[in-house]
Amino acid sequence: MTDLLYTEKDLVTSLKDYIRAEESKLEQVKTWAQKLDVLSATATQDPEGFLGHPVNAFKLMKRLNTEWGELESLVLKDMSDGFISNLTIQRQHFPNDDDQTGAAKALMRLQDTYRLDTQTISTGELPGEGPMTVEDCFELGKIAYSDADYYHTELWMEQALKQLDGGEESTVDMVTILDYLSYSIYQQGELERALDYTKRLLKLDSAHQRANGNLKYFEYQLAKQKKVEAEEGLKEKEEREPADYLPERRKYEQLCRGEGIKMTPRRQSRMFCRYSDNNRHPLYVLGPVKQEDEWDRPRIIRYHDILSNSEIEKVKELAKPRLRRATVHDPQTGKLTTAHYRVSKSAWLTAYEDPVVDKINQRIEDITGLNVKTAEELQVANYGVGGQYEPHFDFGRKDEPDAFKELGTGNRIATWLIYMSDVPSGGATVFTDVGAAVWPKKGSAVFWYNLFASGEGDYSTRHAACPVLVGNKWVSNKWIHERGQEFRRRCTLDESD
C-alpha cells in the first residue's frame, strides 16, 4: 500500500502535465481567435478596400489555405497520450474489487472491536484520518449489503443519510439510501423503523415500485407482530450484534480495548522486572538482558531492547519483497490456506540469507536456553489496515496429530514474538482464556511455553493479535519445536508442572 501512494503521486504529476498541455493548446487557440477577431472586424467594415491591398489578399488566401488547416490539426491533437499511457502502465498495480471489499471489512472490524460509532470514523476524529463523504459511507453500506451484513449496512447508510440531511452535496440520491436502509432494518426485524423509512422514501418518490410493495408488506407484518406481542406479552429487546459474532469474540474485543484484564493486585505484587544472565550465560554475565513478567499463568515474559533499530530495518528490508498473505494450517486437509480470521502479510527468513537473521536466531537460543536448530524459520509479519489474527493456539492439538508431521521436529514447544514497531492504537496480543493483554513495544520480545513439561498442550495460551486501529504493526516470531530440547527442558509426567 506504501507503493500505491507513490503510484498515485506519480499519476497526479502526470495528470498535471496533461492539464498544462491542454491549457497551452487552448491558449494558442485563444490567441489565434483574438487575432482573427480583430482582423475580421476591420476587414468586414470595407471588404473591397481591404482586399484592394495585394498583401491583404495574399494573407487571406494563405490563412484559409494553410493556417486554418494548422489550427484544425492543433484542435484535433490529443494531449492525453502521455497521461493515458502512464495510467495504463500503472493500472496493473491497482487494487481490485476484492481489495476494496477487504479494506471496507477491515474498517467494520475496527468499528466493532473498538466500539467506534460511524460518526467518529466519518468525521475524521481518529488521529491522522480525513473525513468521509456521503459516497464513502454509501459504498461501505453497499459492500456490507452485498455480504448480507445488514447490521453494518444500517450503520453506514444511516451515516450517509445523516450527512445528506446535514446539507452535504452528493451524487448519491436520498431515495437510493432510504431504499437500502429500510430493507436492512427490516432484515433485522425492526418493522416499525423499516416502515418509517419506507414512508419517507415514498414522500420523495411516490411512484417507487419496490417501496410501494414494501409498504403494504411491512404494514401487514407489523400488524401481525403486534397481535402476537399482545397475546404473549412484550419481550425485552436484545442488544443487536453483527451476525458473525463468535462465542469468545466479546472477551477478545474487550481485551483489545484494554477492558476485562484479570490481573489481581495480589498476583501483580508477585511479578517483577529483573536483569537476567540466563544462568550465568557467558554473553550475559556482564551485559544481562532486561526481563519483565507480563503474566503469571501461563508465564509470559517480556525481554526489552532485544533488537536494535538497524536490525529491525534490515529484517524489514529482507522481508518486504516477499510479503504474502499469511496462511493457517487447515486441520481438515493438513495444508496451509488463507483465512478471514488471519489478516496479515508474512515472509520467512532463513539464517543463511543474512548475518542479521543468524544473529537473531542465536540470540533467541542464548536467552531462552532452547535449541533453535529444529525451530521454524524466522517469520516476519506486517499487520496493516484492520490487520488481525483471531483467537488461536500455536501448538497442534490432539485432534490434529499430523499438524507438523512434515517437519519431523515434534510440536511447537514455545513461541518467541518480537515487536518491531510501536503501534499508536490497537494491535495488542491478548490471551482470551486468562484475560491477559500484552501491548507492542518496539525492540522488545515476549516468550511463553505452549506445552507443559509433560508435552501436553497448555490451553491457557490461546491468544490473538488485535486489529491495528491506527498505525502499522511489524512483528517477527520464532516457533521453537520439541526436538532438541530433551536435555534443555526435561520432560515430566506431572501435567501441572
Side-chain angles (χ1 to χ4, degrees):
M1 287 185 72
T2 307
D3 292 339
L4 287 178
L5 283 176
Y6 290 106
T7 296
E8 191 169 51
K9 185 181 179 182
D10 181 56
L11 284 173
V12 170
T13 303
S14 183
L15 182 61
K16 284 181 176 177
D17 290 342
Y18 162 65
I19 292 168
R20 278 193 289 270
E22 286 285 11
E23 285 175 342
S24 174
K25 183 175 94 171
L26 285 170
E27 194 58 42
Q28 290 178 63
V29 174
K30 187 177 174 183
T31 304
W32 173 261
Q34 287 172 343
K35 184 179 78 173
L36 284 187
D37 186 38
V38 173
L39 184 63
S40 59
T42 305
T44 52
Q45 285 177 5
D46 180 15
E48 288 188 20
F50 181 80
L51 293 171
H53 199 295
V55 173
N56 289 343
F58 165 73
K59 289 179 76 174
L60 175 63
M61 295 300 110
K62 176 176 169 289
R63 279 199 305 276
L64 291 171
N65 185 51
T66 307
E67 294 178 15
W68 275 98
E70 291 172 356
L71 180 66
E72 181 185 20
S73 299
L74 178 63
V75 170
L76 291 174
K77 187 177 179 182
D78 190 352
M79 312 303 288
S80 66
D81 286 350
F83 170 67
I84 296 298
S85 174
N86 191 21
L87 184 61
T88 304
I89 293 166
Q90 300 287 14
R91 188 172 274 122
Q92 63 184 313
H93 307 298
F94 280 16
N96 56 28
D97 289 343
D98 287 342
D99 295 319
Q100 185 175 331
T101 299
K105 287 183 178 179
L107 200 49
M108 294 174 209
R109 190 182 307 129
L110 293 172
Q111 185 179 3
D112 294 340
T113 304
Y114 297 105
R115 288 190 174 171
L116 303 171
D117 58 72
T118 49
Q119 180 74 9
T120 300
I121 300 171
S122 181
T123 52
E125 290 177 33
L126 294 178
E129 177 206 1
M132 295 173 70
T133 63
V134 170
E135 285 84 357
D136 294 333
C137 298
F138 176 73
E139 190 60 36
L140 274 170
K142 257 177 63 177
I143 288 169
Y145 182 85
S146 65
D147 212 31
D149 177 2
Y150 301 113
Y151 172 77
H152 288 107
T153 304
E154 177 196 343
L155 293 180
W156 286 103
M157 289 299 174
E158 273 194 332
Q159 183 60 34
L161 185 64
K162 186 176 181 180
Q163 289 178 213
L164 267 185
D165 286 339
E168 185 179 321
E169 291 185 7
S170 172
T171 55
V172 183
D173 65 283
M174 196 175 285
V175 168
T176 306
I177 292 172
L178 288 167
D179 194 19
Y180 276 103
L181 189 52
S182 62
Y183 187 75
S184 63
I185 290 170
Y186 156 69
Q187 284 288 350
Q188 295 175 88
E190 291 196 60
L191 284 166
E192 223 163 318
R193 286 182 62 226
L195 187 61
D196 288 342
Y197 280 120
T198 304
K199 287 176 179 176
R200 184 175 170 185
L201 187 160
L202 288 168
K203 281 182 182 176
L204 298 170
D205 182 2
S206 58
H208 197 286
Q209 194 174 349
R210 186 167 49 252
N212 276 303
N214 286 346
L215 181 70
K216 292 173 186 174
Y217 181 71
F218 292 166
E219 284 175 338
Y220 166 73
Q221 288 291 342
L222 188 60
K224 201 162 110 178
Q225 186 186 75
K226 285 183 176 177
K227 187 180 177 183
V228 172
E229 285 175 358
E231 290 170 359
E232 296 181 0
L234 190 65
K235 291 179 182 177
E236 191 177 327
K237 189 178 173 183
E238 294 180 2
E239 184 183 343
R240 283 180 298 135
E241 291 172 337
D244 63 341
Y245 227 69
L246 302 171
E248 66 180 330
R249 187 163 168 180
R250 190 190 304 278
K251 189 187 291 184
Y252 157 57
E253 291 179 352
Q254 276 184 330
L255 290 168
C256 288
R257 295 192 296 270
E259 303 167 6
I261 296 172
K262 297 177 180 176
M263 177 55 68
T264 63
R266 187 175 178 182
R267 284 167 63 192
Q268 183 75 53
S269 68
R270 300 195 199 109
M271 295 169 70
F272 300 96
C273 296
R274 64 188 72 79
Y275 285 102
S276 170
D277 60 11
N278 191 23
N279 297 319
R280 298 192 63 77
H281 189 287
L283 276 176
Y284 300 113
V285 171
L286 294 179
V289 291
K290 301 170 187 171
Q291 192 185 78
E292 178 185 357
D293 294 331
E294 284 283 355
W295 207 256
D296 51 356
R297 296 187 301 272
R299 192 173 184 215
I300 305 167
I301 301 169
R302 188 194 293 265
Y303 294 92
H304 293 270
D305 303 325
I306 292 301
L307 290 193
S308 66
N309 284 336
S310 61
E311 287 173 324
I312 287 170
E313 290 310 310
K314 186 63 184 178
V315 169
K316 285 164 68 174
E317 180 191 318
L318 293 168
K320 275 181 181 179
R322 52 185 119 155
L323 285 172
R324 297 292 181 271
R325 174 74 188 267
T327 55
V328 296
H329 181 264
D330 187 337
Q332 304 297 323
T333 63
K335 296 179 180 177
L336 293 174
T337 182
T338 58
H340 72 277
Y341 56 84
R342 188 180 190 188
V343 185
S344 66
K345 287 200 165 189
S346 63
W348 298 86
L349 303 180
T350 54
Y352 59 78
E353 285 183 64
D354 194 276
V356 167
V357 180
D358 193 35
K359 275 172 65 181
I360 292 169
N361 288 341
Q362 188 59 51
R363 199 172 299 159
I364 294 169
E365 180 164 323
D366 294 339
I367 293 172
T368 63
L370 297 174
N371 187 343
V372 299
K373 289 180 178 63
T374 58
E376 294 173 51
E377 305 297 356
L378 188 71
Q379 182 181 220
V380 182
N382 174 235
Y383 294 83
V385 181
Q388 64 159 9
Y389 192 176
E390 287 181 5
H392 62 283
F393 298 104
D394 281 350
F395 63 91
R397 272 82 64 215
K398 287 181 179 178
D399 59 346
E400 28 179 28
D402 298 334
F404 308 109
K405 189 177 178 180
E406 70 278 6
L407 297 177
T409 52
N411 212 339
R412 288 172 174 168
I413 193 172
T415 296
W416 175 274
L417 177 65
I418 306 170
Y419 295 111
M420 301 199 301
S421 65
D422 291 313
V423 181
S425 189
T429 305
V430 298
F431 292 74
T432 51
D433 196 57
V434 295
V438 179
W439 302 92
K441 186 179 180 187
K442 188 176 181 180
S444 72
V446 290
F447 173 79
W448 67 87
Y449 281 104
N450 295 305
L451 307 179
F452 291 113
S454 63
E456 291 293 314
D458 183 353
Y459 283 80
S460 69
T461 61
R462 187 168 173 81
H463 60 286
C466 294
V468 175
L469 179 58
V470 178
N472 196 11
K473 180 182 172 185
W474 283 90
V475 296
S476 55
N477 65 278
K478 194 83 173 168
W479 282 309
I480 303 168
H481 283 246
E482 290 177 290
R483 299 290 177 268
Q485 319 307 337
E486 292 84 354
F487 299 101
R488 301 196 183 207
R489 193 198 191 210
R490 292 181 182 275
C491 180
T492 174
L493 297 178
D494 184 0
E495 287 192 20
S496 65
D497 187 358

